[in-house]
PDB file of all heavy atoms in Angstrom:
ATOM      1  N   LEU A 255       3.454  37.610 -49.695  1.00 89.00           N
ATOM      2  CA  LEU A 255       3.046  39.008 -49.883  1.00 89.00           C
ATOM      3  C   LEU A 255       3.348  39.836 -48.640  1.00 89.00           C
ATOM      4  O   LEU A 255       3.787  40.986 -48.733  1.00 89.00           O
ATOM      5  CB  LEU A 255       1.545  39.069 -50.205  1.00 89.00           C
ATOM      6  CG  LEU A 255       1.106  38.482 -51.546  1.00 89.00           C
ATOM      7  CD1 LEU A 255      -0.408  38.550 -51.680  1.00 89.00           C
ATOM      8  CD2 LEU A 255       1.772  39.216 -52.705  1.00 89.00           C
ATOM      9  N   ILE A 256       3.129  39.246 -47.473  1.00 86.00           N
ATOM     10  CA  ILE A 256       3.426  39.974 -46.228  1.00 86.00           C
ATOM     11  C   ILE A 256       4.918  40.252 -46.130  1.00 86.00           C
ATOM     12  O   ILE A 256       5.339  41.380 -45.828  1.00 86.00           O
ATOM     13  CB  ILE A 256       2.935  39.169 -45.011  1.00 86.00           C
ATOM     14  CG1 ILE A 256       1.412  39.146 -44.983  1.00 86.00           C
ATOM     15  CG2 ILE A 256       3.469  39.768 -43.713  1.00 86.00           C
ATOM     16  CD1 ILE A 256       0.837  38.285 -43.888  1.00 86.00           C
ATOM     17  N   PHE A 257       5.731  39.216 -46.379  1.00 87.00           N
ATOM     18  CA  PHE A 257       7.173  39.400 -46.288  1.00 87.00           C
ATOM     19  C   PHE A 257       7.647  40.493 -47.255  1.00 87.00           C
ATOM     20  O   PHE A 257       8.460  41.348 -46.906  1.00 87.00           O
ATOM     21  CB  PHE A 257       7.896  38.084 -46.596  1.00 87.00           C
ATOM     22  CG  PHE A 257       7.827  37.086 -45.478  1.00 87.00           C
ATOM     23  CD1 PHE A 257       8.358  35.823 -45.621  1.00 87.00           C
ATOM     24  CD2 PHE A 257       7.226  37.400 -44.270  1.00 87.00           C
ATOM     25  CE1 PHE A 257       8.306  34.891 -44.595  1.00 87.00           C
ATOM     26  CE2 PHE A 257       7.147  36.487 -43.228  1.00 87.00           C
ATOM     27  CZ  PHE A 257       7.698  35.233 -43.394  1.00 87.00           C
ATOM     28  N   GLY A 258       7.157  40.433 -48.484  1.00 90.00           N
ATOM     29  CA  GLY A 258       7.604  41.399 -49.479  1.00 90.00           C
ATOM     30  C   GLY A 258       7.097  42.799 -49.207  1.00 90.00           C
ATOM     31  O   GLY A 258       7.852  43.770 -49.272  1.00 90.00           O
ATOM     32  N   PHE A 259       5.815  42.903 -48.876  1.00 89.00           N
ATOM     33  CA  PHE A 259       5.227  44.233 -48.698  1.00 89.00           C
ATOM     34  C   PHE A 259       5.743  44.918 -47.436  1.00 89.00           C
ATOM     35  O   PHE A 259       6.143  46.088 -47.474  1.00 89.00           O
ATOM     36  CB  PHE A 259       3.710  44.115 -48.639  1.00 89.00           C
ATOM     37  CG  PHE A 259       3.008  45.443 -48.602  1.00 89.00           C
ATOM     38  CD1 PHE A 259       2.706  46.096 -49.780  1.00 89.00           C
ATOM     39  CD2 PHE A 259       2.682  46.040 -47.407  1.00 89.00           C
ATOM     40  CE1 PHE A 259       2.068  47.328 -49.758  1.00 89.00           C
ATOM     41  CE2 PHE A 259       2.057  47.275 -47.371  1.00 89.00           C
ATOM     42  CZ  PHE A 259       1.748  47.915 -48.556  1.00 89.00           C
ATOM     43  N   VAL A 260       5.735  44.190 -46.320  1.00 84.00           N
ATOM     44  CA  VAL A 260       6.154  44.797 -45.058  1.00 84.00           C
ATOM     45  C   VAL A 260       7.622  45.217 -45.126  1.00 84.00           C
ATOM     46  O   VAL A 260       7.997  46.308 -44.682  1.00 84.00           O
ATOM     47  CB  VAL A 260       5.915  43.821 -43.891  1.00 84.00           C
ATOM     48  CG1 VAL A 260       6.569  44.334 -42.619  1.00 84.00           C
ATOM     49  CG2 VAL A 260       4.429  43.622 -43.666  1.00 84.00           C
ATOM     50  N   GLY A 261       8.456  44.353 -45.701  1.00 86.00           N
ATOM     51  CA  GLY A 261       9.878  44.690 -45.784  1.00 86.00           C
ATOM     52  C   GLY A 261      10.137  45.900 -46.654  1.00 86.00           C
ATOM     53  O   GLY A 261      10.865  46.826 -46.256  1.00 86.00           O
ATOM     54  N   SER A 262       9.567  45.933 -47.844  1.00 89.00           N
ATOM     55  CA  SER A 262       9.821  47.053 -48.757  1.00 89.00           C
ATOM     56  C   SER A 262       9.129  48.329 -48.296  1.00 89.00           C
ATOM     57  O   SER A 262       9.599  49.435 -48.580  1.00 89.00           O
ATOM     58  CB  SER A 262       9.362  46.687 -50.169  1.00 89.00           C
ATOM     59  OG  SER A 262       8.010  46.281 -50.168  1.00 89.00           O
ATOM     60  N   PHE A 263       8.027  48.200 -47.562  1.00 86.00           N
ATOM     61  CA  PHE A 263       7.306  49.392 -47.090  1.00 86.00           C
ATOM     62  C   PHE A 263       8.122  50.175 -46.060  1.00 86.00           C
ATOM     63  O   PHE A 263       8.096  51.404 -46.038  1.00 86.00           O
ATOM     64  CB  PHE A 263       5.972  48.968 -46.493  1.00 86.00           C
ATOM     65  CG  PHE A 263       5.101  50.109 -46.058  1.00 86.00           C
ATOM     66  CD1 PHE A 263       4.770  51.121 -46.938  1.00 86.00           C
ATOM     67  CD2 PHE A 263       4.604  50.173 -44.768  1.00 86.00           C
ATOM     68  CE1 PHE A 263       3.968  52.186 -46.545  1.00 86.00           C
ATOM     69  CE2 PHE A 263       3.807  51.221 -44.359  1.00 86.00           C
ATOM     70  CZ  PHE A 263       3.489  52.234 -45.253  1.00 86.00           C
ATOM     71  N   GLY A 264       8.873  49.473 -45.232  1.00 82.00           N
ATOM     72  CA  GLY A 264       9.651  50.166 -44.200  1.00 82.00           C
ATOM     73  C   GLY A 264      11.120  50.303 -44.512  1.00 82.00           C
ATOM     74  O   GLY A 264      11.894  50.707 -43.636  1.00 82.00           O
ATOM     75  N   MET A 307       1.422  47.218 -40.952  1.00 81.00           N
ATOM     76  CA  MET A 307       1.990  45.864 -40.897  1.00 81.00           C
ATOM     77  C   MET A 307       1.123  44.934 -40.060  1.00 81.00           C
ATOM     78  O   MET A 307       0.895  43.778 -40.427  1.00 81.00           O
ATOM     79  CB  MET A 307       3.402  45.936 -40.308  1.00 81.00           C
ATOM     80  CG  MET A 307       4.390  46.690 -41.159  1.00 81.00           C
ATOM     81  SD  MET A 307       5.994  46.824 -40.370  1.00 81.00           S
ATOM     82  CE  MET A 307       6.899  47.779 -41.577  1.00 81.00           C
TER      83      MET A 307
END
Side-chain angles (χ1 to χ4, degrees):
L255 293 177
I256 291 175
F257 285 176
F259 186 86
V260 170
S262 55
F263 184 55
M307 295 177 181

